[in-house]
Amino acid sequence: QLRVVESGGGLVQPGGSLRLSCAISGFTSGVTLDYYAIGWFRGEAREGISCIGSSGGSANYLDSVKGRFTISRDNDKNTVYLQMDSLKPEDTATYYCAAVRAYPQCAMRTYNYDHWGQGTQVSVSA
């Protein structure tokens, strides 16, 4: 069973930075993180923030976070990161990580993802 665990949330001032981590474990034999697309979502509605495609696929971003957030993966560490810079109060939310296999052209839609983490809280306030 695939396990998805987010970490790295916290309280920061406007303009500050956080790096969220999404650690994936429980792969079946012969499967690695490279075979999974990973998405980041936030809030009760699970608004799509960013995703990175499987097998070398490119990344996508919500317009409001372009230039501020960067998604990346380290397949050797089985971890995906979301670097968040120039944070704004409206970025405050619980952030969720989700995974789906064999999805090189990722989309930021919740129903495309099969495995979800429990979320990590991000608060941006002066």
Side-chain angles (χ1 to χ4, degrees):
Q1 179 67 47
L2 201 71
R3 182 171 173 81
V4 179
V5 180
E6 306 96 332
S7 63
L11 174 64
V12 297
Q13 293 184 317
S17 297
L18 284 172
R19 188 179 73 163
L20 305 184
S21 297
C22 177
I24 313 296
S25 61
F27 299 109
T28 58
S29 181
V31 177
T32 67
L33 180 62
D34 184 59
Y35 300 150
Y36 285 85
I38 305 295
W40 285 97
F41 304 82
R42 69 186 181 190
E44 294 183 21
R46 307 292 178 92
E47 178 186 36
I49 301 302
S50 182
C51 65
I52 186 165
S54 61
S55 303
S58 60
N60 294 313
Y61 297 92
L62 182 69
D63 284 345
S64 64
V65 308
K66 287 181 179 178
R68 299 191 298 122
F69 291 8
T70 303
I71 191 170
S72 62
R73 65 164 73 229
D74 187 335
N75 290 323
D76 291 334
K77 294 183 177 180
N78 293 325
T79 301
V80 171
Y81 304 99
L82 185 67
Q83 179 67 42
M84 305 187 296
D85 299 320
S86 301
L87 284 163
K88 304 174 180 179
E90 52 263 44
D91 294 318
T92 296
T94 300
Y95 283 69
Y96 301 89
C97 180
V100 62
R101 191 182 178 190
Y103 194 5
Q105 307 299 320
C106 71
M108 299 179 293
R109 301 175 72 92
T110 59
Y111 57 77
N112 288 322
Y113 293 84
D114 298 317
H115 307 96
W116 290 79
Q118 297 299 309
T120 185
Q121 178 66 41
V122 172
S123 297
V124 185
S125 176

